Amino acid sequence: VDGVFVTSLETWQEAIPHRVSLITRVISTGSQPEIIWIDSVGLTSVDSPGLLGLGIIKNHRVLLSNALERLLDSYQSYLAGRSPVYLHADSATAGGVIKANKPRHQPQFSYRASTFVPARQYTVAVVPFLNINTRKHAGEIVALHTVKQLHRYANLRVFEPGLVRHTLLNYRMIMQAGPSFAASDILASERILASDLILSGKVFDYQGAVGESKADFSIQIFDGDKREIIWVSRSYATGDQGVYFFDWGWVPSAHGLVSNMTEAVIKGLEE
């Protein structure tokens, strides 16, 4: 086997409105597994209700089929060499077309160290985010969204999350209270992963199953060699934020919301 599909089921709801969100990646096999391709899709049955609700999807199996079709189309685009390398406008992904982020999806505040050079080549290790009074696995979900956004940049080599987890477990590192100097030193060590940047964060709110979608998280990036913080940001948004007429711009799923918000964070880091 040369590669393995790994899929994370972010959201699954058979009750009305139906919801399905998937994050899928292809990983190469071998002693040092690499992420070959990663994308995600989040759909609800009311994404495009249309006139008199004729566009509402009334069968959750149809919604799942549509989601899988989008992911496979995205993978075919990658094989054909049409996947986005940098986040340019009109780049097609399974979640739709990448466009300039709206102000409501930008971080509420952010800091980037003046010594950080975005154009350099970096290796990046993303550790699961710490959950702060939110749904189970929300930290892993936001971390995977961040991996997806980082992977689109040609100058960033993102370690496979399973490899990062395996490395930390080998050294008995359990980060129940968030990342530590000890964990960062392990990931940055030349004898282990030699990661230039260690990305972590905290998830304060993640709602996407009932009611209005909502997300609230922070991201911190640590320079393992210098032992310095080079990026800090805090992002908060709701699906109906800034929506006033005919639901234009409404984001019905937490998946879409987090995808837009993490995209804005990584753009701020890289550009």
Side-chain angles (χ1 to χ4, degrees), residues 200-217:
S200 63
K202 297 179 180 180
V203 182
F204 304 96
D205 204 351
Y206 180 101
Q207 298 180 28
V210 179
E212 197 59 54
S213 55
K214 183 187 298 184
D216 182 3
F217 59 86

Side-chain angles (χ1 to χ4, degrees), residues 49-67:
L51 183 64
L52 302 177
L54 296 177
I56 295 176
I57 298 175
K58 300 179 180 179
N59 188 321
H60 66 274
R61 297 181 187 276
V62 173
L63 196 66
L64 176 61
S65 178
N66 292 345

Side-chain angles (χ1 to χ4, degrees), residues 131 134 194 238 243 260 271:
N131 270 0
T134 187
T238 61
V243 178
N260 291 339
E271 298 177 5

